[in-house]
Amino acid sequence: MTQSSVDLPPKGGFSFDLCKRNDMLTQKGLKAPSFLKTGTTIVGLIFKDGVILGADTRATEGPIVADKNCEKIHYMAPNIYCCGAGTAADTEAVTDMVSSQLRLHRYQTGRDSRVITALTLLKKHLFNYQGHVSAALVLGGVDITGPHLHTIYPHGSTDTLPFATMGSGSLAAMSVFEAKYKEGLTRDEGIKLVAEAICSGIFNDLGSGSNVDICVITKGHKEYLRNYMEPNPRTYVSSKGYSFTKKTEVLLTKITPLSERVEIVEVAGEAMEE
Amino acid sequence: MTTFTVPIDNGDSVKIAEEESQRTLYPYVTGTSIVAIKYKDGVLMASDMGGSYGSTLRYKNIERVKAIGKHSLLGASGEISDFQEILRYLDELTLNDNMWDDGNSLGPKEIHNYLTRVMYNRRNKFNPLWNTLVLGGVKNGKSYLGMVSMIGVSFEDDHVATGFGNHLARPILRDEWHADLSFEDGVKLLEKCMRVLLYRDRSAINKLQIAKITEEGVTVSQPYSLKTFWEFSSFHNPTAGAEGSW
């Protein structure tokens, strides 16, 4: 039987061909490789003049910390940033892709990007992949229509909120926000609250840790405060750290012949048997 | 009920029903979180009064915090029928202890230990009492606060929370609890935690009780509700600037 020699163009969307094979392999006992996830606490809030985004910096691979100081706040446009939780590759790829699309769109329209444009591009992509692109995002920015903050779930649904948290540490961070958030916060109050929420995630959630990253976006201006807070520094037993002398040191020049310390008994007869 | 046939002497066979082992597989009517803290004069414990039947809010008047003897308070989340059974066990225990008539009474530490043994033994038989229990009390001036889970994990701490409270209330308590809280500050702290739980736990209801135990005894407050805030401008008009979006 001859195969058709015409090369059909690949159909769009996710190819589910290997899923049956993977199912069969897991049934036979093969453990699927675990993805590099970001564990994570990511937050965002709207304050008086704009949006503040925050994130922790720990990337986990199962129970191991793969990256102690990764960057989870991704650039989308000069006035829009996006925090990502979930599979690290997915958040990187999807934010990179939409960032490029936004740039091309800016060239074409001659205008600054709007947050809902980024939102629609992201949710379209994620819905198309039916949740298999495991990216949970907190998107924030300030455009001509004002400050906006959105959450985007892996299946493609979105929310518009005054304050938002995502990731494994989202409950710890949300408890801080629910207890302390008010409208019309100043820049310093907002930064303090975001840092508190991220710290709550860092110290109460095992999937989050290390440092706090913060990004403040206002009209016409943004500030990316990388490692704004480092509440988990390396500590040494001695405050000076360790220092070892670099050359060989002579400690003692006194020679003690061993025969003085040890009693040697001559045993008559046979020596050790072979 | 599975049945099997057994041949008997006269050549016929008889259907005998095998005794299905009865053990708890899943909870039915459940209570949500309990949050408790030690304060200056003793222990404060807060719980709401809801009993959920799966995703229905079936009962809205369940007291999930009860006084045990003179010195302890027991709060439970999880299966309500198992909680009632535990109260019966403790009733028997305190009654028997009383019959010695020697002026001694069971303190919170003893009751906590008893509960730990009961829970752990039930779990070993694969028939757990589906509860997470919080035991607080004061005896001879010393306050005590401990927790036992349905698998027998037991420990003591200055502040405890069960269920969703673990994720939502514990971060707040770790940050803001300190020794020698006054009664008002303690209640404010508990209300802060219960409010977050009310916002973010789907099985929480806005009808709570706060129980207090000190050297003098137990007081359980009347049920009351918390004030909530929904007036964020984003909530009023979430699609401002992007009409038609969601």
Side-chain angles (χ1 to χ4, degrees):
Chain A
M1 196 166 93
T2 48
Q3 298 276 8
S4 165
S5 57
V6 175
D7 267 331
L8 290 168
K11 293 200 198 126
F14 196 74
S15 165
F16 289 89
D17 296 337
L18 290 178
C19 291
K20 214 168 172 189
R21 178 207 78 160
N22 292 342
D23 265 340
M24 185 267 291
L25 285 173
T26 36
Q27 266 168 29
K28 292 241 168 99
L30 180 77
K31 242 175 26 143
S34 70
F35 307 115
L36 175 64
K37 301 200 84 172
T38 52
T40 302
T41 310
I42 49 173
V43 307
L45 61 71
I46 297 198
F47 73 110
K48 196 155 52 94
D49 309 317
V51 174
I52 306 181
L53 299 173
D56 75 306
T57 61
R58 173 181 283 186
T60 52
E61 207 171 301
I64 303 170
V65 177
D67 189 347
K68 290 186 284 192
N69 207 188
C70 70
E71 281 188 26
K72 299 188 192 179
I73 305 186
H74 309 284
Y75 167 89
M76 297 286 265
N79 57 332
I80 307 174
Y81 274 76
C82 185
C83 308
T87 306
D90 286 339
T91 57
E92 278 290 340
V94 97
T95 48
D96 247 4
M97 181 193 80
V98 172
S99 173
S100 311
Q101 288 179 336
L102 284 176
R103 191 171 234 196
L104 289 170
H105 193 246
R106 275 203 296 283
Y107 290 150
Q108 187 171 42
T109 57
R111 293 183 170 88
D112 283 342
S113 302
R114 300 193 186 194
V115 181
I116 44 162
T117 318
L119 181 73
T120 312
L121 290 168
L122 285 164
K123 83 157 85 154
K124 244 175 69 120
H125 182 84
L126 291 175
F127 180 74
N128 202 22
Y129 283 81
Q130 289 291 295
H132 290 283
V133 174
S134 177
L137 311 166
V138 171
L139 175 72
V142 181
D143 57 30
I144 195 76
T145 54
H148 296 279
L149 179 68
H150 301 280
T151 51
I152 309 166
Y153 290 83
H155 284 265
S157 66
T158 60
D159 288 308
T160 314
L161 297 164
F163 56 92
T165 67
M166 295 283 259
S168 56
S170 64
L171 280 85
M174 186 50 91
S175 71
V176 171
F177 275 171
E178 285 285 18
K180 299 188 179 164
Y181 179 80
K182 304 191 308 280
E183 292 212 278
L185 291 165
T186 65
R187 179 182 180 279
D188 289 331
E189 287 173 339
I191 292 182
K192 185 159 162 295
L193 188 58
V194 165
E196 230 183 290
I198 299 289
C199 281
S200 178
I202 287 176
F203 293 117
N204 293 300
D205 173 45
L206 297 176
S208 315
S210 300
N211 315 124
V212 181
D213 283 350
I214 295 211
C215 186
V216 185
I217 310 173
T218 52
K219 190 158 128 90
H221 179 66
K222 63 142 190 290
E223 255 183 277
Y224 182 40
L225 305 165
R226 167 78 170 148
N227 286 358
Y228 169 77
M229 220 163 113
E230 291 179 345
N232 291 301
R234 216 145 174 199
T235 48
Y236 295 95
V237 169
S238 140
S239 60
K240 291 183 291 186
Y242 302 113
S243 68
F244 299 103
T245 48
K246 292 207 173 100
K247 49 187 170 61
T248 349
E249 230 177 78
V250 177
L251 289 173
L252 205 64
T253 45
K254 177 161 178 265
I255 300 172
T256 317
L258 214 55
S259 55
E260 279 179 24
R261 291 176 171 262
V262 171
E263 205 184 292
I264 301 170
V265 175
E266 299 279 344
V267 177
E270 284 165 12
M272 276 206 295
E273 282 175 15
E274 299 246 353
Chain B
M1 285 259 241
T2 51
T3 58
F4 53 86
T5 41
V6 171
I8 53 176
D9 288 2
N10 64 2
D12 292 348
S13 46
V14 158
K15 272 197 160 69
I16 295 184
E18 185 185 304
E19 273 224 14
E20 184 87 326
S21 65
Q22 304 244 330
R23 47 194 192 85
T24 309
L25 295 170
Y26 13 75
Y28 285 92
V29 181
T30 54
T32 181
S33 345
I34 303 256
V35 188
I37 54 173
K38 277 193 198 171
Y39 78 112
K40 189 162 56 105
D41 308 320
V43 173
L44 283 167
M45 202 180 289
S47 81
D48 70 13
M49 300 192 75
S52 315
Y53 185 58
S55 51
T56 325
L57 228 191
R58 177 73 179 82
Y59 302 102
K60 298 198 206 174
N61 204 19
I62 299 196
E63 276 194 33
R64 294 191 293 117
V65 180
K66 294 279 188 188
I68 312 288
K70 284 186 279 183
H71 303 283
S72 319
L73 262 182
L74 175 66
S77 68
E79 174 64 59
I80 300 295
S81 61
D82 283 343
F83 177 49
Q84 292 172 341
E85 185 75 352
I86 290 170
L87 290 176
R88 244 184 15 84
Y89 289 158
L90 288 175
D91 239 0
E92 251 180 75
L93 182 78
T94 39
L95 195 74
N96 279 323
D97 186 66
N98 228 2
M99 292 205 286
W100 287 103
D101 206 17
D102 55 6
N104 283 323
S105 51
L106 289 168
K109 209 179 193 129
E110 287 94 65
I111 303 211
H112 188 214
N113 189 53
Y114 173 77
L115 289 171
T116 311
R117 293 292 103 228
V118 169
M119 301 298 268
Y120 185 64
N121 273 292
R122 289 289 296 257
R123 149 232 131 113
N124 282 342
K125 297 191 202 141
F126 281 90
N127 187 15
L129 288 159
W130 209 285
N131 292 110
T132 311
L133 304 167
V134 176
L135 205 299
V138 186
K139 193 172 181 202
N140 297 334
K142 286 192 23 172
S143 1
Y144 183 92
L145 181 60
M147 206 165 109
V148 195
S149 80
M150 70 186 242
I151 52 173
V153 177
S154 141
F155 58 89
E156 249 191 271
D157 207 347
D158 294 323
H159 45 79
V160 297
T162 68
F164 251 96
N166 268 311
H167 298 106
L168 291 169
R170 271 244 167 85
I172 301 179
L173 294 171
R174 280 181 179 166
D175 235 5
E176 300 190 15
W177 183 90
H178 56 88
D180 296 321
L181 280 163
S182 71
F183 175 70
E184 290 78 27
D185 285 340
V187 172
K188 261 216 273 241
L189 183 59
L190 281 181
E191 285 187 348
K192 198 176 206 179
C193 297
M194 295 305 281
R195 186 173 290 113
V196 178
L197 285 168
L198 179 63
Y199 283 137
R200 295 283 163 176
D201 177 5
R202 82 165 189 179
S203 33
I205 59 169
N206 198 1
K207 185 179 177 192
L208 65 145
Q209 284 184 308
I210 298 201
K212 161 173 84 116
I213 182 163
T214 59
E215 192 71 50
E216 281 90 55
V218 175
T219 341
V220 182
S221 75
Q222 284 300 317
Y224 67 103
S225 58
L226 295 169
K227 275 219 286 273
T228 54
F229 182 75
W230 297 91
E231 308 307 314
F232 293 121
S233 57
S234 276
F235 288 175
H236 281 298
N237 195 6
T239 55
E243 315 307 328
S245 77
W246 50 281

